[in-house]
Amino acid sequence: MNKTWLQLWGALLLLPAAAAAQPATAAAGAADSVSTSLARHDFFYAGQSKQRRMFIVKDGQLSWSYDDQLKRGEISDAILMTDGHILVAHQYGVAETDENGRTLWHYEAPEGTEIHTVQPIGRHHVVFVQNGHPAKVVVMEIPAAKTVGEFLLPTAGQKGSVHGQFRNARLTSRGTLLVANMGLGCIHEYTSDGREVDRWQGVLPWSVQELPKTGHLLITGRKGLIQEIDRQGHTVWQLNATDYGITQPQKTVRLKDGGHIINNWYNEWSKTPMDTLNAPPQAIEVDKDGRVVWQLRAWRNPDLGPSTTIQLLSEATDRDRLFFGHYGRQPRPRLCASPGQPIGQGRGIHPGRVAWVHAPGVAQWDGKSGLWVEDRWNDQQKADLMVSEAICQLTGEPSARRAWRALFGHFNKTHGRGGRGYRRGETIAVKLNMNNALTHHDTIELNSSPFTTLALVRSLVGSGGVRQQDIVLCEPSRAITDSIYNKVHREFPLVRFVDNTGGDGCEKCEYYPEQIDYSADNGKMARGLARCIVDADYLINTALLKTHNGPGVTLTAKNWYGATDISLLWRQNAHNNISQDKRSGKPQYKTFVDWMAHKDLGQKTLLFLIDGTYGSRDVNGAPNPKWMKEPFLGDWACSLIASQDGVACDAVAMDIIIAEWPEFGSLNYCDEYLREAASIPHTPSGTVYRQQGKALTEPLGLFEHCDGNRRYSKIELKYKRL
């Protein structure tokens, strides 16, 4: 250990636990009900002051404290971890201490630089921002304090002090780094190789953090404005801390009940000495209704000093869950099957073949301006090429005309109609996925792409020889938005549109009751099916590439739910046996398998398509975020996945999602329905799946997970980049 460091940080004073502070008088104007008790929260505390001290308050008592004798620098960032260790950024370096106050390793900032923020990456790395000329992000191997990665950050230039450049940076759930740029008044998001994947302007950020579940950003501003913004930069919630007498907030804690703890830093370097009897609160708690319910006033007995960091003990950081690109141990969901263990048997002209067409540039939305469905953000020509190339790759034919002929011929042959093709008057129903559309008005939320839909209709008519009037675009459970209707109807006025609401050129969907006989007691699950689906001769299932909070993914199997007679309002619908047992993966009957096996759903499907032109981590809302992993590299997914095998199609799309967002909690055992479908008749759950009362005797397709290089042993993946 460096002697200089030991001299500076080695003089540790582990203070004895002190009695809880007596309740102090609430701030002027505050309600009498405002608590000042230290017992309200158990928390870790550190302050940016002339003394470099840290504290733990538990059960209203000061249970641990740390005081170093270095007379230089300030604690700008401190993180309590679940192993009891603490990471500290103290302006002139970073260090890690254990629960006994012993320094485990340190790094001294080079002359002319400062460090005010740090994050752990697993047990062997940390990442911090080093202010300077130039400023940079540094990834360091610990305890050796060896730099293993770095990249430069934008600043206001080579002149001026480095002190005001950066104060806070935080890792996100997807392994990127959010950096609050005080000097430039913006927030950046970076990958581990230094690619800026997003930027939010017009803020004066002291600190920033990603909120769980939504992925929104919680920003504490230098002028007292606390904001929650979505990834499009829209303000979801805000509070002006100055309205509560908090003049210099630095960090904000979002509580589980919707309230917030906001710290209030006091400048000890001010020319005016502090009057501790009339000092401002070090922090306040504001409930979700905007009322102050707690004030932290601990300037005497104990004196916690000015506030930089307040961290609830229940929110201690698990360093093993944080990663930055390839640094750290990336999470991986628990799955029912391991890579390279194929189950079932493939279907299609080339059994188990899946085509994946990747066309960078087909989707170009900036994530903030207007709606993603606008023409300016999408390349229709590339969308047309994606559809044509997908069916050619799938069938092995050199042209879309021959590919459609092969698809219809194979379908009819396997359905007892001989090897003939499509005939005039036969209906092709295209099941869209408009799950986020309750009206015909366009929305920023992710639904079926107007451009992919038009490309499919163009290919069916132009290359497949299908009459316009034989095509039905349908969404029985939701509404088909104007952007799809107008784009297709303008070019193909005879194509029919059927949706849940009717009107604006769409027919209102009608349903046949009691069409689904589930293989197990499935409670109040919908049993009726849309007439346009049942009456069709062929189906095309066009799903979306995205996750889902329940079953983990929402792909072609989940898309069949929208073909039933469910309510437009999703909360009124049963969702029985859709989600898996995410804790232990206990095998159980799965509703999806009955839909996949149904004669008028999965078994009537000519083609399975998964539209990944944008794709999303969230089932609701705008497409979000962009995709980081190979081959996307900070772009939208710009992909279309096609197969004649619904099981294999979902398996490939599922693997793409898992590779991109392995931390997404609902992915645990998300593959259970595919294992069930591919294991028929010997299902892990023991369920006997039936079709029209007869027990199924063959698998519904081929299921397999890829290895780390996206290779399969039995699924035939045909990847093509346009």
Side-chain angles (χ1 to χ4, degrees):
M1 186 67 68
N2 185 287
K3 291 184 178 180
T4 302
W5 177 256
L6 289 176
Q7 292 170 352
L8 296 175
W9 279 77
L12 305 174
L13 298 178
L14 292 177
L15 304 180
Q22 296 298 316
T25 302
D32 292 339
S33 61
V34 174
S35 171
T36 57
S37 171
L38 278 181
R40 182 171 178 84
H41 296 288
D42 295 339
F43 59 91
F44 166 68
Y45 183 100
Q48 183 174 310
S49 64
K50 292 182 179 180
Q51 301 178 73
R52 282 134 304 280
R53 299 181 297 169
M54 300 181 289
F55 307 93
I56 290 178
V57 175
K58 189 174 183 181
D59 298 326
Q61 302 288 325
L62 192 64
S63 66
W64 179 91
S65 40
Y66 172 101
D67 189 354
D68 79 84
Q69 299 305 298
L70 176 68
K71 301 304 180 184
R72 181 170 175 261
E74 57 196 31
I75 294 179
S76 301
D77 200 5
I79 300 169
L80 174 66
M81 296 176 286
T82 52
D83 59 7
H85 293 187
I86 297 171
L87 275 180
V88 183
H90 57 89
Q91 185 176 2
Y92 297 114
V94 288
E96 181 175 344
T97 66
D98 65 13
E99 59 270 25
N100 296 315
R102 293 176 300 197
T103 299
L104 303 178
W105 62 267
H106 83 280
Y107 167 76
E108 294 182 19
E111 189 68 28
T113 69
E114 295 183 5
I115 302 172
H116 295 279
T117 186
V118 65
Q119 285 267 270
I121 311 172
R123 296 184 175 272
H124 304 295
H125 296 89
V126 296
V127 59
F128 55 84
V129 174
Q130 186 167 287
N131 295 11
H133 298 306
K136 56 187 176 181
V137 168
V138 177
V139 178
M140 181 166 286
E141 181 183 313
I142 57 172
K146 175 184 177 183
T147 297
V148 293
E150 62 179 42
F151 56 86
L152 300 183
L153 291 174
T155 63
Q158 294 297 311
K159 296 181 180 180
S161 169
V162 303
H163 188 68
Q165 290 177 339
F166 303 93
R167 272 299 180 281
N168 184 259
R170 286 295 181 263
L171 291 167
T172 71
S173 61
R174 60 181 182 144
T176 56
L177 185 69
L178 296 171
V179 178
N181 191 326
M182 291 199 310
L184 295 182
C186 62
I187 293 169
H188 314 268
E189 183 176 12
Y190 289 103
T191 61
S192 60
D193 58 1
R195 284 184 293 109
E196 184 182 48
V197 295
D198 218 332
R199 181 184 294 197
W200 294 268
Q201 303 276 12
V203 293
L204 294 172
W206 188 280
S207 64
V208 62
Q209 59 185 289
E210 180 190 54
L211 293 174
K213 296 184 179 180
T214 64
H216 293 172
L217 309 187
L218 183 61
I219 304 166
T220 303
R222 297 181 65 193
K223 298 295 185 180
L225 187 63
I226 317 298
Q227 290 177 287
E228 177 185 346
I229 66 171
D230 63 19
R231 294 242 166 204
Q232 289 70 54
H234 304 133
T235 299
V236 175
W237 169 90
Q238 69 179 31
L239 175 151
N240 197 323
T242 59
D243 294 340
Y244 300 88
I246 304 300
T247 57
Q248 299 198 67
Q250 294 186 356
K251 295 177 184 175
T252 303
V253 176
R254 168 68 61 84
L255 301 174
K256 292 181 179 180
D257 64 5
H260 298 81
I261 297 176
I262 305 166
N263 80 327
N264 187 31
W265 177 67
Y266 175 82
N267 184 1
E268 283 191 351
W269 289 268
S270 172
K271 294 180 180 179
T272 304
M274 175 188 288
D275 178 3
T276 56
L277 293 177
N278 297 289
Q282 292 137 313
I284 62 171
E285 178 184 347
V286 181
D287 68 15
K288 63 182 179 180
D289 297 318
R291 296 182 300 247
V292 177
V293 295
W294 180 64
Q295 290 185 341
L296 176 61
R297 289 178 172 273
W299 294 106
R300 301 177 67 184
N301 301 319
D303 176 11
L304 299 184
S307 170
T308 296
T309 292
I310 295 178
Q311 181 183 359
L312 299 183
L313 298 189
S314 60
E315 300 294 329
T317 299
D318 185 349
R319 65 195 309 165
D320 291 327
R321 294 179 65 87
L322 294 182
F323 65 102
F324 188 29
H326 63 279
Y327 298 107
R329 185 177 67 193
Q330 295 194 27
R332 181 163 181 86
R334 298 184 295 275
L335 299 171
C336 292
S338 300
Q341 296 182 356
I343 304 172
Q345 58 191 44
R347 295 189 172 192
I349 299 169
H350 304 280
R353 176 178 288 189
V354 179
W356 174 9
V357 179
H358 181 212
V362 68
Q364 305 166 35
W365 186 42
D366 66 359
K368 297 179 176 66
S369 306
L371 303 180
W372 66 269
V373 296
E374 297 173 32
D375 288 350
R376 58 174 169 155
W377 303 122
N378 299 272
D379 189 325
Q380 184 64 61
Q381 184 177 7
K382 282 195 173 184
D384 294 345
L385 288 173
M386 286 175 69
V387 171
S388 295
E389 188 63 37
I391 60 173
C392 288
Q393 290 289 328
L394 183 59
T395 60
E397 298 292 342
S399 69
R401 184 177 299 275
R402 292 181 60 174
W404 281 118
R405 188 183 307 155
L407 287 171
F408 281 112
H410 181 270
F411 180 91
N412 285 323
K413 182 177 181 180
T414 56
H415 284 73
R417 305 174 186 169
R420 66 173 179 83
Y422 151 81
R423 290 178 179 174
R424 291 166 61 90
E426 291 183 328
T427 303
I428 297 96
V430 179
K431 170 61 177 70
L432 303 175
N433 187 330
M434 307 300 297
N435 188 61
N436 291 320
L438 301 182
T439 72
H440 295 139
H441 298 298
D442 286 326
T443 172
I444 199 172
E445 295 191 277
L446 184 62
N447 294 297
S448 290
S449 165
F451 306 90
T452 305
T453 304
L454 176 60
L456 176 61
V457 174
R458 281 179 172 177
S459 189
L460 278 168
V461 175
S463 300
V466 177
R467 296 191 311 167
Q468 296 182 39
Q469 55 266 49
D470 290 340
I471 299 174
V472 180
L473 299 182
C474 66
E475 180 48 288
S477 66
R478 295 292 187 270
I480 297 176
T481 51
D482 292 335
S483 55
I484 291 180
Y485 176 83
N486 292 335
K487 191 170 286 293
V488 175
H489 182 71
R490 187 181 302 116
E491 193 168 328
F492 301 101
L494 300 181
V495 168
R496 294 172 54 204
F497 295 82
V498 179
D499 70 6
N500 185 271
T501 63
D504 298 321
C506 295
E507 303 171 30
K508 184 173 176 58
C509 187
E510 297 180 351
Y511 307 87
Y512 290 117
E514 299 301 323
Q515 295 294 299
I516 305 175
D517 185 13
Y518 290 104
S519 301
D521 181 0
N522 215 11
K524 296 182 179 180
M525 282 297 297
R527 285 170 162 73
L529 283 177
R531 287 177 179 264
C532 58
I533 294 286
V534 175
D535 293 345
D537 297 285
Y538 312 92
L539 299 181
I540 296 178
N541 184 329
T542 60
L544 295 174
L545 186 66
K546 60 180 181 178
T547 66
H548 198 290
N549 291 334
V553 294
T554 174
L555 302 170
T556 67
K558 177 73 165 59
N559 197 31
W560 291 132
Y561 195 22
T564 66
D565 58 349
I566 56 176
S567 170
L568 184 70
L569 304 176
W570 71 269
R571 292 184 185 277
Q572 298 181 10
N573 302 311
H575 291 76
N576 302 330
N577 298 298
I578 287 179
S579 297
Q580 63 280 8
D581 174 7
K582 298 180 182 66
R583 291 184 178 272
S584 61
K586 180 180 178 181
Q588 56 188 334
Y589 160 74
K590 296 256 67 70
T591 296
F592 288 0
V593 180
D594 270 332
W595 293 338
M596 298 166 79
H598 197 280
K599 68 180 183 66
D600 288 315
L601 296 175
Q603 301 309 299
K604 195 191 281 187
T605 303
L606 172 75
L607 178 65
F608 296 92
L609 290 176
I610 298 177
D611 178 2
T613 47
Y614 283 93
S616 185
R617 181 181 58 184
D618 305 318
V619 65
N620 300 314
N624 170 64
K626 289 187 177 180
W627 299 61
M628 296 295 106
K629 306 296 175 59
E630 291 278 359
F632 313 116
L633 301 178
D635 195 3
W636 298 112
C638 297
S639 296
L640 185 66
I641 301 163
S643 186
Q644 294 173 278
D645 186 327
V647 175
C649 192
D650 277 17
V652 169
M654 182 180 291
D655 282 343
I656 294 172
I657 289 172
I658 289 172
E660 184 66 26
W661 296 303
E663 76 286 350
F664 186 71
S666 286
L667 289 177
N668 284 335
Y669 305 111
C670 64
D671 57 347
E672 183 184 8
Y673 75 94
L674 295 178
R675 183 178 66 170
E676 285 278 291
S679 299
I680 294 173
H682 306 295
T683 62
S685 70
T687 303
V688 177
Y689 291 95
R690 303 177 184 276
Q691 183 184 118
Q692 294 179 283
K694 292 183 60 177
L696 298 176
T697 59
E698 295 183 352
L700 296 179
L702 176 62
F703 168 50
E704 181 183 6
H705 285 302
C706 65
D707 64 15
N709 295 311
R710 288 206 170 100
R711 293 177 301 200
Y712 295 90
S713 64
K714 198 168 182 181
I715 286 179
E716 184 185 5
L717 179 61
K718 304 287 286 185
Y719 172 81
K720 178 67 177 290
R721 180 186 173 101
L722 296 181

